């Protein structure tokens, strides 16, 4: 069995970059800035992985890729989930300020205490799923499309 990842690792990272760019373009048109930032952060993480696997410099990029994947992934998920929460509340609500505060606190915790990134990611994932389910929409299809 080989310990060196094949070229499909770099290809999958390139596809994630493409998806992040397409999502960011759509989110920008919809003025969903938090989700746009989360999407772009996931694209940056994938770009680091593409460089790592594409150049074959696995050891040289391992630490930075791992750090960005764990910390950046938790922050990106918090941004995407927060966007869904903001969409659930009424426009101009003071609750959105609280949401931004929780996202900042979550990002600070992820940066200061990297072992907390997995629980943070999972918590924000559950928040995103629940918020997407609560979004006012006419059909389940539009609810799923709006969450993407």
């Amino acid at each position: 069995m080989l310990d060196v990842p094949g070229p499909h690792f770099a290809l999958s990272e390139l596809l994630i970059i493409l998806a992040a760019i397409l999502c960011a373009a759509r989110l920008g048109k919809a003025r969903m800035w938090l989700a746009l930032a989360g999407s772009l952060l996931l694209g940056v993480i994938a770009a680091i992985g593409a460089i790592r696997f594409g150049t074959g410099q696995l050891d040289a990029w391992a630490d930075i890729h791992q750090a960005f994947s764990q910390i950046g992934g938790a922050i990106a998920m918090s941004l995407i989930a927060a966007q869904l929460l903001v969409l659930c509340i009424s426009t101009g609500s003071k609750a959105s300020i609280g949401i931004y505060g929780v996202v900042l606190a979550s990002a600070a915790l992820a940066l200061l205490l990297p072992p907390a990134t997995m629980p943070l990611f999972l918590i924000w994932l559950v928040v995103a799923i629940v918020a997407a389910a609560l979004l006012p929409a006419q059909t389940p299809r539009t609810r799923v499309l709006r969450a993407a």
Side-chain angles (χ1 to χ4, degrees):
M1 181 162 186
L2 297 172
D3 341 27
V4 179
H8 62 284
F9 276 65
L11 179 60
S12 67
E13 298 286 0
L14 291 172
L15 291 173
I16 294 169
I17 295 167
L18 178 62
I21 291 168
L22 293 173
C23 285
R26 187 167 180 188
L27 293 165
K29 287 179 185 174
R31 303 176 59 87
M32 296 184 192
W33 308 121
L34 294 172
L36 181 143
S39 179
L40 289 178
L41 183 53
L42 292 173
V44 168
I45 296 165
I48 294 168
I51 292 168
R52 178 182 179 206
F53 298 120
T55 63
Q57 297 179 5
L58 302 177
D59 293 336
W61 287 84
D63 291 339
I64 192 165
H65 186 220
Q66 180 181 6
F68 268 80
S69 294
Q70 291 176 351
I71 296 168
I75 293 171
M77 182 53 67
S78 73
L79 290 166
I80 293 166
Q83 183 69 68
L84 291 168
L85 286 174
V86 168
L87 290 172
C88 287
I89 61 175
S90 62
T91 305
S93 170
K94 293 187 180 190
S96 61
I97 294 170
I99 293 169
Y100 301 141
V102 172
V103 168
L104 287 173
S106 177
L109 183 60
L111 289 167
L112 297 173
L113 190 63
T117 56
M118 182 57 71
L120 284 171
F121 182 90
L122 293 173
I123 290 166
W124 282 111
L125 179 61
V126 170
V127 168
I129 291 167
V130 170
L134 295 175
L135 279 175
Q138 294 181 354
T139 66
R141 181 181 181 275
T142 56
R143 206 176 278 155
V144 168
L145 290 176
R146 195 167 192 193

